Amino acid sequence: MQALDTVVILLYFAILIGAGIIGSTKAKTSEDFALAGRNLGMFMYLGCLSAVILGGAATIGTTKLGYQFGISGIWFVSMIGLGIIILGTIFIKKIDSLRVTTISELLGKRYKSETRLLSAIVASIYTLMIAVTQVIGMGTIINVLLGWNLTTSMLVGGGIVLFYTILGGMWSVTVTDIIQFVIMTIGIFFIMVPMSLAEVDGFSQLISKLPEAHLSFTSIGYQQIFQYFLLFALGMVVSQDIWQRVFTAKSGKIARNGSIFAGVYSFAYAIAGSIIGMCAFIVIPNLENPQNTFATMALTILPTGILGLVLASVCSALMSTASGSLLASSTLITNDIIKQYFLKNMSDKQLLLASRVTTLLVGLIAITFSIWIQDVLVALDVAYAILSGAIFIPLVMTFFWKRATPNSGFYAILISTIVVIAGLFLEGLTSTNPILYGMSAGLISLVGISLFTRPADDSEFATPFDEDYEEESEDARKEA
């Protein structure tokens, strides 16, 4: 890589730090820090939501799958897009008036208070693991591009993200995400895809040179497609970092429409990544490690200067997801654990300080784990499995089954978590079955406990979708 590319990447890092400082001037309250004051318009909302769901795994992973399986590589990111669309069309209307900050807070309102603690622990571990994988990804890219050792690269990449996240919380994350969204879009759609196709003499020539299996939408296998659905489509619906972005929207309409547009953008991103991978299969036919498909293709076809911009786009994707995950984990810990069980009478100023301190500690843990482990992709699958298997059913029943009792939600999450972990231990960490076991156990537990125990008075556990609940929530929202 030439000196000009290095300058482009370092300049990009400097811009992100500057944007984080600007964002810090807007974070005056705890709600500003966690949710950007719930005041984002359509473009900013779409940009920051798209940036957080399409991390480095989406970019690097899809091009790898495109190289190995052809057009069937779209399913990974397409399931992420499907999950965002499900969230936008089914759930956002129901949660818009609730004025909650976390999924755990919602579950705590619907079920017993211990449910809030249990779900917060599960969700915060999941978001922390996502942050760890992104820091590892950043370190790997910086190591290759700038020649620094891997530990230093992780410290620099993770440190930059941690710095601007602590400064301004969601406002800093939003400002930087808009920059990252623009860079990602230009880098993938307007540079890498056209230049990759030009390298193989156009799309028609690409089709003619690929093996037949690479042109099949199902060559990756139905079982793998189903696993992506369980892990990512359902995982998006119950992921705190995604919900936290949803809560930043100025209105329910913006949240709903922006989520649908982000899902459509994800489908396009999946196709673009797969095409780049398929082109790489022709240009670099004997690549030893498919994980390096994107970086190797960029180094092969891009001129100096443009290469730096495109590789900065990959760093953008990693940083967006890392910052959102760090903030989500710290918000869960601050709002659903520290505030609820240790410092109940905090003022808003104290809560803001606690949020920043917690973000710092979570960030340091994430960077430490990244340097220590260096490969947590399997652990990330485990985290997604527990999240989908343990929390999806209680969350859905929150909105659609009034008969569920306060105890049922807590025990459903507890039993499902145990079942998923046991299933992963017995059948292997890559098995899809433990997610199904967990969901089944959660459904049976929730329904069984609700039906065979004496129901409390309806007022004690009103569904957030009940008419009287909605009216009260809407009044509270107008007052706010």
Side-chain angles (χ1 to χ4, degrees), residues 426-443:
L426 294 173
E427 298 202 11
L429 299 179
T430 59
S431 175
T432 303
N433 291 334
I435 304 174
L436 298 176
Y437 299 155
M439 287 183 170
S440 300
L443 183 61

Side-chain angles (χ1 to χ4, degrees), residues 192-210 275-284 297 301:
M192 276 300 289
V193 170
M195 296 194 72
S196 296
L197 288 172
E199 192 72 16
V200 297
D201 300 321
F203 188 74
S204 60
Q205 287 297 310
L206 171 65
I207 298 300
S208 67
K209 295 175 182 177
L210 287 170
I275 289 174
I276 295 168
M278 290 188 289
C279 291
F281 183 81
I282 304 300
V283 177
I284 320 163
M297 189 66 172
I301 69 173

Side-chain angles (χ1 to χ4, degrees), residues 43-67:
F43 175 72
M44 295 189 72
Y45 174 76
L46 171 62
C48 73
L49 182 60
S50 299
V52 76
I53 62 177
L54 299 174
T59 306
I60 297 170
T62 301
T63 53
K64 171 189 173 181
L65 294 174
Y67 187 92

Side-chain angles (χ1 to χ4, degrees), residues 33 162 166 330 334 338 350-364:
F33 188 86
L162 182 57
I166 290 174
S330 68
T334 303
I338 295 176
Q350 291 171 325
L351 181 59
L352 176 59
L353 176 60
S355 298
R356 285 196 165 105
V357 172
T358 304
T359 302
L360 173 62
L361 295 176
V362 169
L364 292 176

Side-chain angles (χ1 to χ4, degrees), residues 55-275:
T59 306
I60 297 170
T62 301
T63 53
K64 171 189 173 181
L65 294 174
Y67 187 92
Q68 294 175 308
F69 301 102
I71 194 63
S72 190
I74 67 170
W75 289 110
F76 166 37
V77 171
S78 291
M79 288 304 175
I80 292 176
L82 177 61
I84 294 300
I85 290 176
I86 291 173
L87 179 64
T89 55
I90 298 177
F91 291 96
I92 283 180
K93 181 179 179 181
K94 302 179 187 302
I95 65 176
D96 177 45
S97 62
L98 300 181
R99 304 296 290 180
V100 295
T101 301
T102 65
I103 291 177
S104 302
E105 184 180 353
L106 173 62
L107 291 171
K109 287 177 179 289
R110 178 61 178 89
Y111 304 110
K112 61 193 297 184
S113 60
E114 290 83 354
T115 309
R116 182 173 185 175
L117 175 62
L118 180 61
S119 58
I121 293 172
V122 172
S124 61
I125 292 173
Y126 154 77
T127 50
L128 174 64
M129 294 307 293
I130 291 180
V132 169
T133 60
Q134 304 306 304
V135 173
I136 291 173
M138 282 185 283
T140 302
I141 290 175
I142 294 171
N143 166 252
V144 172
L145 299 183
L146 303 182
W148 301 342
N149 68 63
L150 189 58
T151 298
T152 301
S153 300
M154 289 182 187
L155 286 170
V156 171
I160 291 171
V161 171
L162 182 57
F163 176 75
Y164 69 69
T165 305
I166 290 174
L167 279 181
M170 186 59 80
W171 270 118
S172 289
V173 170
T174 297
V175 173
T176 54
D177 276 0
I178 295 302
I179 298 171
Q180 290 159 348
F181 173 68
V182 173
I183 295 294
M184 283 167 53
T185 302
I186 293 173
I188 298 298
F189 290 100
F190 296 100
I191 298 177
M192 276 300 289
V193 170
M195 296 194 72
S196 296
L197 288 172
E199 192 72 16
V200 297
D201 300 321
F203 188 74
S204 60
Q205 287 297 310
L206 171 65
I207 298 300
S208 67
K209 295 175 182 177
L210 287 170
E212 186 176 348
H214 272 57
L215 303 179
S216 169
F217 281 94
T218 58
S219 63
I220 200 171
Y222 289 105
Q223 182 177 356
Q224 185 65 65
I225 294 171
F226 184 58
Q227 184 176 21
Y228 287 151
F229 172 76
L230 292 177
L231 288 174
F232 302 115
L234 301 188
M236 288 295 104
V237 175
V238 294
S239 181
Q240 170 61 26
D241 52 334
I242 308 304
W243 273 49
Q244 202 158 337
R245 300 302 175 102
V246 168
F247 295 148
T248 64
K250 186 182 296 186
S251 68
K253 183 178 180 180
I254 288 174
R256 181 179 64 253
N257 293 341
S259 299
I260 294 171
F261 292 153
V264 173
Y265 181 87
S266 299
F267 294 150
Y269 203 89
I271 294 170
S274 296
I275 289 174

